[in-house]
Structure formats: C-alpha cells, structure tokens
Amino acid sequence: MVDQGELAGVRVGTTDGILTAARNLRAAVERRLGDWRVATCSNIASGRPMRDGDGQVLATTVFGWTDSAEDGWWQKPRLALDSPLPAACRYESEPMWCNADGVRSLSGNPLLGRIDVTDFERRAWCRAAIVVPVHMPFGRIGAASVVPRDPGLTDLAQPFADHAEAIGQLCRAFVTSHANAVDGPSRLPVGIALSKREVECLRWAAVGKTDLEIGMIISRSRATIRFHIHNATTKLDAVSRSQAVFKAAQLGFISLGH
C-alpha cells in the first residue's frame, strides 16, 4: 500500500524539488523490491532523458544507471521505436511485467499478446522489467520501468503480484508531476467550447468524409459544413482540417479509435 505521505514525497512541485522526489521514488521502490533500478521517461515520443533542476540526468545521478554503452538506455535514439517496453505502453495503461516470454498486465489486455518480444534482452535493454505506462493529457505517454539488478531474475510474477499497484501509483505521480513542473505551456488551447454541430462535423471528417458527404449525412449544405469546420479549426488554433481533427481528439471531443 502507498500512504499519502509517500505519494506526496514523490510528487514534484517545482524544479527545485525534482532531486528530492526522485530520491524518494528510488527509496520507495527499494523498500518494496530491494536491489532494483528505476528508469523513467516523461515522453516516449521524444526520448529526452528526465533531468533534475540543474539539468543532470536522473538515470545517473539518482537511479543508479551509468552512461556506458551497456547501461545508457536513454542515449539510444531508436529505443522508443524498437523496444517492446514503450510499444506495450501504447496499448495499456495498467502496470505490466515483461520478459522474453511476453507481456502481462493487471487487466489481461489481449493486445499485449501481439507485442513482438523477439530478441527481448537486446531490444529492451534488460532481461525482465515491471513497466508502468503513464498516460497524460493530450495523448502524451510517459513510462517508468523497475528492473532487477540480478540478471538471473526473469520471472517477476510474484514481485509484480505483490507490488505492481503501489509501484504504479508512485511512478505515475512522479512522472506526471515532473512533466508539469518542467515542460512549458501546451500549445493546445484551454477553455474552448465546441458546438454540438462542430463536433459532429469533425467526427465525420475524422473517418475520411468530405464536406459534401458530411452534408448529405446530416442534411446540411456543403457551405454549412465548411462553416462549422472552419469555426472549429479557429477555436482549436489549428492550421488545417487534419490538425483540427487531431487536436479535437487530443482534447476528448472526438475519438479516433472508432
């Protein structure tokens, strides 16, 4: 279990508090799992390492990794594309554990069975790990992994069963608060209100319908459809129809899933 004090200790309020929060996360993981290392990433799309308030890489200053070729996973630009760990984070929001035999989550997500774990150790930079996906607003995905130092420990079923929920809470609190403290303001507009008709037009546009086709579907003229999509594009501070659809999906007005 995680108490409120422990959670508060891993949350970053300002950049000055990053180092303390990271140390608290490491200590919380070690209390539960022993000699394991933490790896954190606030955005799997960028690959930038998470740093403290002075710009030092947390992986080396706090979490016990080195910048050697064998250890410096954050220095590999293709890691987010090649590794099964970030791949799994794109399809699951619950903690998982992974090794060369596959990926297992708390929820039993069947999509995880499709994750390619071929040549797992080379591609994942570990032999096994507990992985915490961190899904944040506007479609951003972060991640945290906890990895045993013992290379012979590849069956993580028991430590996962015992500690996955707690590790998940702690890692999500650290990664999301770090992102809020470090990153600049989002370029997405805040406080906008799309009309029901604007959302309806964008929803049809998202599945590839033209203005003429949307007009036929909702019994409105082509000019009216253009008017609604133009208004939505302006409100969303988008430069094109496709960007308007994307931003509307990020903000939860429409879904690109179905």
Side-chain angles (χ1 to χ4, degrees):
M1 297 294 291
V2 180
D3 62 37
Q4 291 304 308
E6 197 171 29
L7 271 179
V10 302
R11 286 198 175 100
V12 177
T14 66
T15 54
D16 290 340
I18 293 173
L19 197 57
T20 298
R23 288 170 175 164
N24 288 341
L25 176 61
R26 173 178 176 170
V29 168
E30 289 178 346
R31 277 196 296 274
R32 290 167 171 83
L33 295 170
D35 194 15
W36 291 43
R37 290 186 289 184
V38 180
T40 59
C41 175
S42 62
N43 189 345
I44 63 173
S46 75
R48 288 178 297 153
M50 291 177 68
R51 300 177 183 270
D52 64 22
D54 294 324
Q56 301 299 307
V57 176
L58 293 173
T60 56
T61 58
V62 176
F63 294 132
W65 302 87
T66 71
D67 57 7
S68 67
E70 295 78 20
D71 234 12
W73 51 266
W74 63 93
Q75 301 177 71
K76 309 303 172 186
R78 292 189 56 82
L79 187 67
L81 299 177
D82 292 340
S83 172
L85 306 189
C89 290
R90 296 186 175 100
Y91 298 99
E92 179 58 81
S93 59
E94 295 284 349
M96 304 167 277
W97 75 274
C98 322
N99 63 10
D101 295 324
V103 184
R104 307 90 168 161
S105 72
L106 290 170
S107 61
N109 184 344
L111 291 175
L112 298 180
R114 303 180 189 178
I115 300 295
D116 179 13
V117 293
T118 304
D119 200 9
F120 181 89
E121 184 175 353
R122 180 188 64 81
R123 293 170 55 225
W125 283 73
C126 63
R127 298 189 68 187
I130 293 175
V131 181
V132 180
V134 185
H135 290 257
M136 291 176 274
F138 314 134
R140 176 171 174 166
I141 302 175
S145 302
V146 289
V147 180
R149 286 183 183 269
D150 178 359
L153 182 56
T154 59
D155 183 352
L156 307 185
Q158 194 57 55
F160 181 77
D162 293 341
H163 302 294
E165 295 276 16
I167 297 299
Q169 282 185 274
L170 293 161
C171 289
R172 281 191 292 265
F174 176 73
V175 172
T176 55
S177 61
H178 182 283
N180 290 336
V182 169
D183 295 342
S186 168
R187 295 188 62 184
L188 283 161
V190 175
I192 66 168
L194 297 183
S195 72
K196 179 180 178 181
R197 191 66 75 189
E198 288 163 356
V199 170
E200 186 176 24
C201 291
L202 288 175
R203 186 178 296 120
W204 285 113
V207 296
K209 300 299 183 182
T210 65
D211 293 343
L212 181 61
E213 290 170 329
I214 297 170
M216 294 174 65
I217 292 168
I218 67 174
S219 302
R220 294 292 187 275
S221 71
R222 186 177 183 181
T224 298
I225 302 306
R226 285 180 173 174
F227 171 78
H228 288 309
I229 290 181
H230 172 77
N231 280 353
T233 300
T234 300
K235 290 179 180 179
L236 290 163
D237 192 25
V239 297
S240 67
R241 176 193 187 102
S242 59
Q243 191 183 37
V245 167
F246 179 67
K247 285 190 171 185
Q250 285 185 300
L251 290 166
F253 286 107
I254 65 173
S255 171
L256 299 181
H258 6 257

